[in-house]
Amino acid sequence: MNDLAMALTQLCRRNRDGSQATQANRLNGLKAMAAELYQLGFRLPAAASLKPKHVAALIAAWEARELSPATMKNRLGWLRWWAEKVNKASVIPRENAELGIATRTNAGGNRAWQLEQVRALPDTLMQMSLQLMAAFGLRMEEALKLKPRQADAGHALRLQGSWTKGARARDIPIRTDEQRQLLAAAKELVGGNSLIPTGRSYIQHRKAFEHQTLKHGLTNLHGLRHGYAQARYRELTGWPCPKDGGPAQKELIGHARALDRHARLIVAEELGHSRISITTTYLG
């Protein structure tokens, strides 16, 4: 147990708000946050050391792991409780919308967006990772760990299990000239290496990447995966998905319904998911 976990345990023992079950869940949740912050490279000596950058790092990490809206809501509740008990309520906004995550708790919203400007980021490796996220629907971890030269399988971008969530290898088709040109530029930029700078660990670079993207207002990086999924759905079916203004699944019949399912299976596979039901999050 690190120093922060011990401090949060003591904080919970001094402040027994709610039922025993609520207290137990809160303690477990806060201890998990302490461990996560440690893994992210933050060494907080005390509970009162909480700062906005720690909140931002946790949120970015949760988004990268695709936590459910319910899980996000619970964790933010525990995080606000922690901040309030150490008189640091101001480090985390009261409304999720101010964190750029309002749509996580609103299933009807559309989180998708298209990348327009990356030059604000401080170095070319970060810029390239962001472009790869948008072009291939990659998770943050995948876009940082990717070795472009090794991943180029000609017809597809081949992701190794060591780069992906759940160690699940997959192929993402290279369908456009823009994707091919971007991959060529990535290979020229890093050669046989990954998008992580030489001499820096994955955790160190992810921390820097999260800090810089948040600093420059890029708070919804996962929305790039939503954008990729919706563009692929339109390409495969010929019409927009429900979240982009297209017809709901229940409105489709016959061939259209079969095509919808076929497209969702492909989108799920390209995003690295084994269940077609997850596409509801991206497509509606």
Side-chain angles (χ1 to χ4, degrees):
M1 185 182 297
N2 61 41
D3 291 342
L4 178 59
M6 292 178 63
L8 290 173
T9 298
Q10 294 171 357
L11 186 68
C12 288
R13 288 174 179 169
R14 292 195 303 268
N15 298 274
R16 298 186 177 276
D17 305 343
S19 67
Q20 289 186 346
T22 296
Q23 292 177 44
N25 289 336
R26 181 191 299 130
L27 174 58
N28 289 334
L30 291 175
K31 287 167 66 176
M33 286 186 212
E36 191 160 21
L37 283 168
Y38 190 89
Q39 292 172 357
L40 290 170
F42 296 105
R43 306 291 187 262
L44 279 69
S49 302
L50 183 67
K51 296 179 180 178
K53 65 180 180 180
H54 303 132
V55 174
L58 284 171
I59 291 172
W62 297 341
E63 182 178 78
R65 297 211 309 276
E66 301 178 1
L67 298 187
S68 70
T71 299
M72 288 288 296
K73 182 178 179 180
N74 286 338
R75 294 191 180 194
L76 286 169
W78 296 329
L79 191 53
R80 288 191 175 96
W81 181 92
W82 167 11
E84 290 170 1
K85 295 304 179 185
V86 295
N87 297 316
K88 290 285 192 76
S90 61
V91 304
I92 176 170
R94 296 184 64 180
E95 300 296 331
N96 289 346
E98 296 179 61
L99 296 168
I101 59 172
T103 50
R104 289 194 185 101
T105 55
N106 178 8
N110 188 355
R111 297 178 57 188
W113 61 285
Q114 301 297 322
L115 190 63
E116 295 180 358
Q117 178 61 266
V118 298
R119 294 198 176 113
L121 296 182
D123 67 56
T124 54
L125 291 177
M126 291 184 182
Q127 293 172 17
M128 180 58 70
S129 289
L130 203 58
Q131 290 176 288
L132 289 166
M133 289 175 71
F136 293 96
L138 303 181
R139 298 180 177 95
M140 182 193 302
E141 179 178 3
E142 296 164 349
L144 299 181
K145 290 183 176 180
L146 180 76
K147 294 182 177 181
R149 183 170 293 174
Q150 190 172 331
D152 188 354
H155 66 290
L157 188 71
R158 181 157 293 163
L159 302 185
Q160 294 189 358
S162 59
W163 308 337
T164 67
K165 181 180 179 180
R168 189 172 186 269
R170 72 182 189 276
D171 284 2
I172 303 172
I174 299 174
R175 315 173 327 276
T176 68
D177 290 339
E178 289 77 8
Q179 286 177 316
R180 172 52 61 194
Q181 292 167 9
L182 181 63
L183 187 54
K187 289 191 288 186
E188 182 177 354
L189 178 65
V190 299
N193 299 323
S194 72
L195 275 293
I196 300 172
T198 303
R200 180 180 286 179
S201 70
Y202 163 64
I203 292 296
Q204 290 171 332
H205 188 54
R206 185 178 75 180
K207 180 179 174 181
F209 183 77
E210 290 170 347
H211 173 73
Q212 290 297 332
T213 52
L214 288 168
K215 178 180 177 180
H216 290 90
L218 301 170
T219 58
N220 177 24
L221 296 187
H222 206 63
L224 296 173
R225 270 167 67 79
H226 286 246
Y228 175 88
Q230 293 179 19
R232 277 296 275 149
Y233 179 89
R234 182 189 285 266
E235 179 183 323
L236 291 163
T237 63
W239 61 81
C241 67
K243 285 210 172 186
D244 195 27
Q249 281 183 290
K250 63 183 179 182
E251 298 173 3
L252 302 175
I253 59 174
H255 176 68
R257 191 173 186 84
L259 191 55
D260 169 84
R261 178 174 176 78
H262 174 70
R264 287 172 183 270
L265 284 168
I266 290 175
V267 168
E269 182 63 29
E270 291 181 12
L271 292 179
H273 291 290
S274 58
R275 297 174 291 111
I276 190 175
S277 58
I278 196 67
T279 59
T280 300
T281 302
Y282 297 91
L283 306 175

